[in-house]
Amino acid sequence: MSPGGGSPRTKRGILERLDAGEVVIGDGGFVIALEKRGYVKAGPWTPEAAVEHPEAVSQLHREFLRAGSNVLQTFTFYASEDKLENRGNYVAAKFSGQKVNEAACDIAKEVAEEGDALVGGGVSQTPSYLSGKDETDVKTIFRKQLEVFKKKNVDFLIAEYFEHVEEAVWAVETLKESGKPVAATMCIGPEGDMHGVLPGECAVRLVKAGASIVGVNCHFDPETCLKTVKLMKEGLQAAKLKAHLMSQPLAFHTPDCGKQGFIDLPEFPFALEPRILSRWDVHKYAREAYNLGVRYIGGCCGFEPYHIRAIAEELAPERGFLPQASEKHGSWGNGLSMHTKPWIRARARKEYWENLLPASGRPYCPSLSKPDGWGVTKGDAELMQQKEATSEDQLKELFKKQKFKSNTMP
């Protein structure tokens, strides 16, 4: 948001800002935030709230904007037509993918006008790809969303949350048909995509497909994501290609994740709270991302507005201003100097919070977990998707497999 708030005179485009060396702050995670608020169903994680509860989506956009976001992504994660009818989902039949995508664009554009924010229209991985559909079929799915983004004239496009670079490339190629700038992020770690393509090669393929901004989002914590972005940067340098770098990690500590990321952790999705990043962790992330050369810095699942505010506050010296939300937040806790208790007032300093090792308050819980590690990905029969709801028999088979795998864990 601009220093004084209000409507900007003329909004500059995403590449204009990045080419000038400016820091662009993304927004945070919508599906997990809105699930906790009662507007998204865990499991399908689809964005019908844009139609059913537009006020909830607007409010979250507004909070991210006030916290410092320069980009508001349309709430179109998992809004492809095939996802909206997958495994018994009612959304495609009741509303249609077009209506959901249009509503999400309208909400984001309306809130973006309240500040100096751009609107990014987003697509993500599809059940069609995971089920083995070919390039033509998958691109047709992306194109349906793209038609809405073109109609609503979003500022740029984002292909995010891809486990396989092949599908990500198809998404970028489709989005480039619009003539608008395209950003592409993959939900991978340093080991690369689910078929073993390393991060550096993933970045090269995405840029050659037409992406101007590349990086990672979701599945891993900031430390792991920045390791992956560094490998992408090195891959691009080796190939003599140029692109802006982007990072939107989880707001959860995930040092124990396997290749599949946090969805493999036994705590996913309903018991992740002990892993949440503090605002001070996010200060560290923002500085390390900036030092790596990343200029599009945001967050994904678990990132709340106060996390985004932490990015904006850490990088305020480079940006030249603080976000509006900082009006109610003293730098490094200095507002605590107003507290009634003296031991709390003693915490009103950077040194205290920067060096604190937070306790979990859970004496009988481990600090790390054992990921499930089923190793299922595109091409495996268990990952074939269906329109019908998952049957009781199908669930029983999965329960058996889960019990077997648990019993064989060391």
Side-chain angles (χ1 to χ4, degrees), residues 62-82:
R62 190 165 287 111
E63 290 180 22
F64 281 126
L65 181 67
R66 191 168 182 274
S69 295
N70 300 122
V71 172
L72 302 184
Q73 291 186 219
T74 56
F75 186 36
T76 51
F77 176 79
Y78 273 169
S80 59
E81 197 77 30
D82 58 343

Side-chain angles (χ1 to χ4, degrees), residues 10 59 67 77-78 95-96 128 135 172 182 190 217 223 238 243-244 253 299 324 329 334 339 362 365:
T10 303
Q59 179 61 23
F77 176 79
Y78 273 169
F95 299 120
S96 81
S128 292
E135 179 179 353
V172 171
V182 175
N217 81 294
E223 182 177 358
H244 296 289
H253 292 284
Q324 285 186 337
H329 188 243
N334 66 20
H339 203 278
R362 297 173 180 267
C365 290

Side-chain angles (χ1 to χ4, degrees), residues 41 60 87 104 134 140-141 166-167 199 298 314 322 330 401:
K41 188 173 186 177
L60 190 52
R87 294 197 176 276
D134 64 17
T140 298
I141 292 291
E166 180 180 54
E167 187 184 18
E314 175 63 31
L322 288 165
K401 183 171 182 177

